[in-house]
């Protein structure tokens, strides 16, 4: 059995020469990370202003909670008139949903995004619980991003509530801070929502900075302030260090980012591999050369659901089959809405012991058809070992291509086809067995999920 030994740190840690020199020069880049404050909860507070200052949690899909809100809305006539003491409480929730977001008042009870609602109820039973309204959140997301775009700024869209903005053109930090404050006030005036902004020479540091003075904060993190502001933070604050990596680092005696920065690259690479070990060293020293991605195409789309109860793969196969079909239909609708076709699918299963497994496969004929998606996804099921109850089920479409591609020149088309053939050959030679092409077969446990269809005439 392999044991974990603590990594010996360098003595007399100081800023590397290249970063020390950078600290004395004008910033080569100036990147802002703009993050909306408790976005979903804040949007709900616009609709329910009577909840300002109260503990509010958004999440879950409880039908009883939804029906309670419908009755209250019918009784009071409008959202803002509903008495706060009549609204659903977290202690009422029964199920396995998780928190989507929580207000800052609720966060004071050590609850936050991703936490199970039942666990959160133990800490703050009187918090008000609202179901998520993603259409409303997407609308407000479009609004705040439109304001940024109206200023003619180069922006990388990172999700529903955050963006990176290139402010290098400002020339100096003072001008960038003035523009950042102007963006904050413009967004608030137009939407009633606050945001926090981090300014730094790269995306990694900007994201860390935006979280330093929430809500409505403006923070600066440069090479000159890495020792003071970055190194005292726990390793988990590095964007890209998840719970497992953080736990492994802590087992090695590396608790603060300063400890990471003091390591030899070879020591970290022995535990995390060449690329990841090198990245950990660079990130701990504030090094990040990634450019802003100003326009990108989605590389995958997915749908998943946490089941209301742990389901037995055999005893509950009909109910699981219905969930599986619904996920495939929803995924197909997402592809059709975005006008994308997929050439690969994967299935994700999390069991009642929280072990997550995925299986995937590729196919030649790109599709957005729900029946075909379900057919190919069902083929992934045959690779799972169904020895535990199922907690979560998900389906993902990958290797996306436009449904209506722009015409390309004949030479470019032939080159692309050649590259794709070569890529597929390399894939077949190098991928492990579970990713190799195979003949579609029925799953021995869920045969009724997918009778094998006769392939269309267009298939080869």
């Amino acid at each position: 059995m392999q044991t974990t030994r603590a990594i010996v740190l360098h003595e007399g840690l100081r800023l590397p020469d290249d970063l020390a020199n950078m600290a004395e020069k004008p910033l080569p880049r100036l990147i802002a990370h703009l993050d909306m404050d408790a976005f979903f909860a804040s949007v709900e507070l616009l609709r329910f202003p009577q909840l300002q200052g109260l503990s509010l949690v958004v999440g879950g899909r409880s039908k009883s909670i939804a029906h309670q809100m419908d009755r209250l809305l019918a009784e009071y006539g409008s959202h803002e008139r509903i008495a706060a003491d009549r609204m659903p409480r977290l202690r009422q929730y029964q199920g396995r949903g998780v928190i989507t977001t929580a207000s800052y008042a609720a966060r004071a009870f050590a609850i936050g995004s991703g936490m199970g609602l039942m666990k959160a109820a133990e800490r703050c039973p009187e918090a008000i619980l609202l179901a998520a309204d993603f259409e409303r959140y997407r609308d407000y997301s479009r609004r705040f991003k439109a304001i940024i775009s109206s200023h003619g700024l180069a922006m990388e869209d990172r999700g529903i509530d955050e963006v990176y903005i290139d402010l290098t053109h400002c020339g100096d930090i003072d001008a960038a801070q003035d523009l950042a404050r102007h963006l904050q006030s413009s967004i608030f005036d137009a939407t009633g929502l606050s945001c926090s902004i981090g300014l730094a020479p790269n995306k990694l540091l900007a994201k860390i900075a935006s979280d330093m003075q929430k809500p409505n904060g403006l923070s600066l993190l440069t090479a000159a302030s890495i020792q003071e502001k970055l190194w005292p933070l726990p390793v988990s604050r590095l964007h890209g260090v998840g719970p497992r990596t953080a736990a492994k680092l802590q087992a090695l005696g590396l608790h603060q980012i300063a400890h990471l920065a003091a390591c030899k690259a070879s020591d970290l690479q022995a535990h995390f591999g060449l690329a990841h070990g090198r990245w950990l060293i660079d990130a701990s020293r504030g090094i990040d050369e990634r450019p802003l991605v100003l326009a990108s195409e989605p590389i995958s789309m997915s749908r998943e659901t946490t089941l209301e109860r742990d389901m037995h793969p055999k005893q509950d196969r009909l109910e699981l089959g219905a969930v599986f079909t619904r996920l495939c239909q929803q995924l197909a609708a997402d592809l059709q809405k975005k006008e994308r076709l997929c050439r690969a699918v994967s299935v994700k299963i999390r069991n009642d012991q929280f072990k997550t497994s995925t299986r995937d496969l590729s196919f030649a004929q790109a599709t957005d058809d729900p029946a075909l998606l379900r057919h190919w996804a069902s083929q992934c099921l045959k690779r799972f070992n169904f020895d535990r109850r199922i907690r979560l089920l998900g389906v993902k479409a990958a290797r996306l291509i436009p449904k209506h591609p722009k015409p390309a020149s004949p030479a470019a088309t032939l080159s692309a086809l050649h590259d794709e053939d070569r890529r597929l050959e390399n894939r077949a030679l190098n991928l492990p067995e579970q990713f190799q092409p195979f003949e579609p077969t029925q799953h021995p446990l869920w045969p009724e999920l997918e009778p094998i269809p006769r392939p269309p005439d267009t298939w080869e």
Side-chain angles (χ1 to χ4, degrees), residues 303-305 323 325-335 370:
R303 285 279 186 163
E304 65 180 44
T305 184
V323 173
T325 298
R326 186 181 74 247
L327 289 172
C328 292
Q329 291 170 342
Q330 291 172 338
L331 183 58
D334 293 339
L335 288 168

Side-chain angles (χ1 to χ4, degrees), residues 173-396:
I173 291 175
D174 290 339
Q177 288 178 314
D178 289 341
L179 179 53
R181 292 190 185 96
H182 174 69
L183 287 174
Q184 285 178 314
S185 61
S186 297
I187 290 172
F188 183 81
D189 291 343
T191 66
L193 301 171
S194 68
C195 63
S196 295
I197 298 178
L199 296 175
N202 57 52
K203 291 160 65 172
L204 174 78
L205 294 179
K207 186 170 179 67
I208 293 173
S210 67
D211 198 42
M212 287 181 166
Q213 297 187 55
K214 277 184 168 288
N216 199 33
L218 176 58
S219 303
L220 181 66
L221 182 54
T222 65
S225 60
I226 283 177
Q227 287 172 288
E228 174 190 356
K229 295 183 177 180
L230 179 67
W231 284 356
L233 298 176
V235 292
S236 58
R237 289 289 298 275
L238 283 176
H239 182 58
V241 173
R244 291 184 181 179
T245 300
K248 190 172 181 180
L249 288 170
Q250 290 164 5
L252 294 169
L254 308 175
H255 301 278
Q256 294 179 323
I257 296 176
H259 298 157
L260 267 181
C263 289
K264 293 181 180 178
S266 57
D267 288 340
L268 282 177
Q269 288 170 335
H271 292 276
F272 295 95
L274 293 177
H276 195 195
R278 181 70 257 174
W279 177 85
L280 287 169
I281 288 286
D282 288 345
S284 68
R285 298 176 180 182
I287 300 172
D288 178 20
E289 300 298 331
R290 292 174 300 159
L292 260 65
V293 180
L294 304 182
S296 62
E297 296 292 339
I299 60 174
S300 67
M301 295 182 186
S302 63
R303 285 279 186 163
E304 65 180 44
T305 184
T306 299
L307 304 172
E308 294 184 359
R309 60 181 177 85
D310 294 340
M311 292 190 182
H312 192 281
K314 186 174 182 180
Q315 297 172 2
D316 299 311
R317 64 182 182 273
L318 293 179
E319 190 172 353
L320 281 167
V323 173
F324 186 73
T325 298
R326 186 181 74 247
L327 289 172
C328 292
Q329 291 170 342
Q330 291 172 338
L331 183 58
D334 293 339
L335 288 168
Q336 293 164 8
K337 184 177 180 180
K338 294 293 185 179
E339 297 187 336
R340 294 292 184 272
L341 303 174
C342 72
R343 294 175 293 170
V345 296
S346 68
V347 173
K348 172 182 175 181
I349 290 178
R350 181 173 299 146
N351 67 21
D352 56 359
Q353 296 296 307
F354 290 87
K355 179 182 178 181
T356 302
S357 303
T358 59
R359 301 290 186 270
D360 67 2
L361 64 86
S362 298
F363 39 88
Q365 185 69 31
T367 186
D368 62 359
D369 180 78
L372 286 175
L373 280 177
R374 182 177 176 276
H375 165 69
W376 291 119
S378 72
Q379 298 307 309
C380 296
L381 293 175
K382 73 185 292 288
R383 299 173 178 174
F384 286 96
N385 179 22
F386 290 103
D387 57 351
R388 307 282 318 182
R389 288 181 175 269
I390 297 172
R391 176 183 176 86
L392 176 145
L393 186 61
V395 183
K396 180 170 74 172

Side-chain angles (χ1 to χ4, degrees), residues 69-71 104 134 159 168 187 291 428:
M69 286 302 300
D70 290 341
R71 290 193 300 269
Y104 288 102
F134 288 103
T168 306
I187 290 172

